[in-house]
Amino acid sequence: MAATVVCSSSNVELVWESDPVTSETRTPVCVLGAGLIGGSLLRAAVSAGYPAWGYNRSGTAAQAEGFDVSADLPAVLRRAAEADALIVVAMPMPAVDHLLEDIATFAPHCALTDVVSVKGPVAELVRKHGLAARYVGGHPMAGTNESGWAAGNSALFHNATWAVGVDAGTHPRPWRRVVRLALDCGSVVVPVLAAEHDRAVARISHLPHVLAEALAAVGAAGGELALGLAAGSFRDGTRVAATAPDLVRAICEPNAAALLEVLEEALTLLGAARDDLRARGSLGLLVDAGHDGRTDYETVERWEITNIRPGDHNWLEQLHDAGRRGGVITRID
Amino acid sequence: MAATVVCSSSNVELVWESDPVTSETRTPVCVLGAGLIGGSLLRAAVSAGYPAWGYNRSGTAAQAEGFDVSADLPAVLRRAAEADALIVVAMPMPAVDHLLEDIATFAPHCALTDVVSVKGPVAELVRKHGLAARYVGGHPMAGTNESGWAAGNSALFHNATWAVGVDAGTHPRPWRRVVRLALDCGSVVVPVLAAEHDRAVARISHLPHVLAEALAAVGAAGGELALGLAAGSFRDGTRVAATAPDLVRAICEPNAAALLEVLEEALTLLGAARDDLRARGSLGLLVDAGHDGRTDYETVERWEITNIRPGDHNWLEQLHDAGRRGGVITRID
C-alpha cells in the first residue's frame, strides 16, 4: 500500500481517484440483500467494473433496472462458489444467522464480508457456522433515513469511511478483496477491531438514533403548535427517527451492551445538566462539553496509512494501531 | 385579513407573495442588535422597502456594507422616537433588561417587539419598564449554528414561522405592524400566548440544543476512532452544538422552567428505553414513539387564518385558538 497523502476533516470531501480497471482487480462480487446498502453496493460494484450479482427476497425492482438479482438463494450461492466470488452479507442482523447457514451449505469456501452495523455479533455467527477463515468484517458508514432498493444509489459510499476488520486471524487475501471493493466504491477504509468498532458506533451511530427518537417523541407531545414552530434544530435532530422502526431496532439492539454503556453516559450528563439548571439556572458544563465535542468532530484529521503490507509480520496489529489513531487507507496496490 | 388558502407541511415551501410596497405599509423600523437575527432582519426590512436603521455595540461591519447602523444607542433611540419607528429588540436575553431601560428613557412611546427566544421573561421585563402598552412579542423560528452580522442574510426568514404574541392586553396597532414586518420578511405568522410559546419552544428548540450537546460530548469521548467513523446521524444530531456556548445558554437558560419539564420527559423516556434494552434487549417502545413523532412532524398541516380582524371583539382569543390548532397568518390587509 502506498499513495499520495490525503488529509481530510469530517466536513471536507476527499477527492477520490479510482484505480484503473483491470481483470485482476475486479474479481466477482455476490451481494446478499438489495436494500438501501446492499442495493447501493451492487450498483457501485457494477459501476466500478466488477462482475456482480445478488440475491434479494424479491428481486423484481432491481431486475427491472437491469441488475442481475435473483430470489433463488441456493442458485445465487452456487454461482458464487463456482466463480470464487466475494460474498457480501447485506441484510439486517436478524437475517444473518439463516443466511450464513446457507452460505456454509452452498459456498463455504468463498471470501466473505458483510455490511452489517455491528461486527462482534456477526463474527460470532460466522465462527458458529465455520466460516471464519475467509471472513473479514465490514461496515460502510453511509446511509439515509430511507430503506429499500429504490432508495439506493451507486454514489452512496463516495467519501464515506468503510470500517474493515483487522481482528486476529484475519487472512490477507480476503482482506485485500474487501478493502479494494470499499475503495472502488469511493470510500476510505478504517482498519478496526470488531469490539472497538461496536463501541465506537454505539457512540456515533446508535446513540444518535436513540436520542433522535426521544426528541421526536417529546417534541410531538407538544402537538400542532410545537410542531408548527419547529425549525432546523428539531428537523435535523430528529431526521433519523424517520427511519423504519424495524430497521432502527435491527441496527441498535444487537449492539445492546455497548449502547447501554454510552446511553448511561448520556443519561448521567443529561441528569447532571438537569440538576444544574434546576439548582443554579446553568447549562454551562453541558454546553461547554458539547461544544468541545462538536469542535473535535469538525477538526478531526485523517491521515493516510502507508507502508503496511497485508500479510507482513504484525500487519494486523499495525493496521489496528493506525486506525485507532485516525489513519485511513485510500489506496491498495 | 383575507387571502387565498395556503396549506403546507413542515417540509413544503410556502410560495410567498409579498404585498405591493406603499408608504402606508412600510413604516420605519429600528433594530437593536445586528447579530445573526437582528442583522438578517435589518437586511430583510431594507430589502422589503422599509426605512430601517439599527444599533450595534460595534456597527462597523454593517456600516461597511452600507447599512445604517450606529453604536450610539441614545441617538438611535431618539431617532426612533422622532420617526415613530417600530423598535425591534434583537439581542440575547441577558442584554434585554438594560436595553429596555434605555428604550423607556429615550423612546417610551414607540411600538415595540423583540426576536428573543423566550417570550414570558421578556414580557415580564417589558412590564417592569412600563412599556407593555405598545409591546407585541415576536420570535422568528429561524437561525443557523453561526452568529454575528457576517452570518446573516436577508433571506433567513423566508418560509419560516414567526411567532407573534396575542396575550391579553395586546393592542391592534402595534400588532399589525409586527405582523406586517414578519410577513414582509417572508415568514408566516403563528399567533401564540407567551407562556404557550415558551413551553412549545422548550420542546422543539431548547431540548434539541440540550440533546445535541450531550450527543457531541459522548461521541467525542470515543476519540479519533469514533469521530472518524461518524457519519450523517452524528453530524446532523450535533449540528447545533457548534453554536457559540454563550448563545446556547442565553437561548435556553431563561426558559429553565419549561425546559426542565421537557428534559424530565426525555430523561424518563430514555431511562425506560435503557431499562427495556437491558432487561429485554428491546428498544421497541422508544423507537415506535419516536417514529410516530417524526411522522407527525412531517405531516403537520398549516392552514390559513382568515376573517379575524385585529381589534374586533375577541380577536386575541380567536387568534390564540386558531394558532393552537395549526393556523397561520400569511397576509394582512
Coordinates of all heavy atoms in Angstrom, one line a residue, chain A residues 118-125 127 194-195 197-198:
Chain A
V118 N -23.2 -3.9 13.2 CA -22.3 -4.4 14.3 C -21.4 -5.5 13.8 O -21.7 -6.2 12.9 CB -23.2 -5.0 15.5 CG1 -23.8 -3.9 16.3 CG2 -24.1 -6.0 15.0
K119 N -20.3 -5.5 14.4 CA -19.3 -6.5 14.0 C -19.1 -7.7 14.9 O -18.9 -8.8 14.4 CB -17.9 -5.8 13.7 CG -18.0 -4.7 12.7 CD -17.9 -5.1 11.2 CE -18.9 -6.1 10.7 NZ -20.2 -5.5 10.4
G120 N -19.1 -7.5 16.2 CA -18.9 -8.6 17.1 C -19.9 -9.7 16.9 O -19.6 -10.9 16.8
P121 N -21.2 -9.4 17.0 CA -22.3 -10.4 16.8 C -22.2 -11.1 15.5 O -22.5 -12.3 15.4 CB -23.6 -9.7 17.0 CG -23.2 -8.5 17.8 CD -21.8 -8.1 17.4
V122 N -21.8 -10.4 14.4 CA -21.7 -11.1 13.1 C -20.6 -12.1 13.1 O -20.7 -13.2 12.7 CB -21.5 -10.1 12.0 CG1 -21.2 -10.8 10.6 CG2 -22.8 -9.2 11.8
A123 N -19.4 -11.6 13.7 CA -18.2 -12.5 13.7 C -18.5 -13.8 14.5 O -18.1 -14.9 14.2 CB -17.1 -11.7 14.4
E124 N -19.3 -13.6 15.6 CA -19.7 -14.8 16.4 C -20.5 -15.8 15.6 O -20.2 -17.0 15.7 CB -20.5 -14.3 17.6 CG -20.6 -15.2 18.8 CD -21.2 -14.6 20.0 OE1 -20.8 -13.4 20.3 OE2 -22.2 -15.1 20.5
L125 N -21.4 -15.3 14.8 CA -22.2 -16.2 14.0 C -21.4 -16.8 12.9 O -21.5 -18.0 12.5 CB -23.4 -15.4 13.4 CG -24.5 -15.0 14.3 CD1 -25.6 -14.2 13.6 CD2 -25.2 -16.2 15.0
R127 N -18.2 -17.6 13.1 CA -17.5 -18.7 13.7 C -18.4 -19.9 13.9 O -18.0 -21.0 13.7 CB -16.9 -18.2 15.1 CG -15.7 -17.4 14.9 CD -15.0 -17.1 16.2 NE -15.7 -16.4 17.2 CZ -15.7 -15.0 17.2 NH1 -15.0 -14.3 16.4 NH2 -16.4 -14.4 18.1
A194 N -13.3 -5.7 15.8 CA -14.8 -5.8 15.9 C -15.3 -5.1 17.2 O -16.2 -4.3 17.2 CB -15.2 -7.2 15.8
A195 N -14.7 -5.4 18.3 CA -15.2 -4.9 19.6 C -15.0 -3.4 19.7 O -15.9 -2.7 20.2 CB -14.4 -5.6 20.7
H197 N -14.9 -1.3 17.1 CA -15.9 -0.8 16.1 C -17.3 -0.7 16.8 O -17.9 0.3 16.7 CB -16.1 -1.7 14.9 CG -17.3 -1.5 14.1 ND1 -18.5 -2.0 14.4 CD2 -17.5 -0.7 13.0 CE1 -19.4 -1.5 13.5 NE2 -18.8 -0.8 12.6
D198 N -17.7 -1.8 17.5 CA -19.0 -1.8 18.1 C -19.1 -0.7 19.2 O -20.2 -0.1 19.3 CB -19.3 -3.2 18.7 CG -19.5 -4.2 17.5 OD1 -19.5 -3.8 16.3 OD2 -19.7 -5.4 17.8

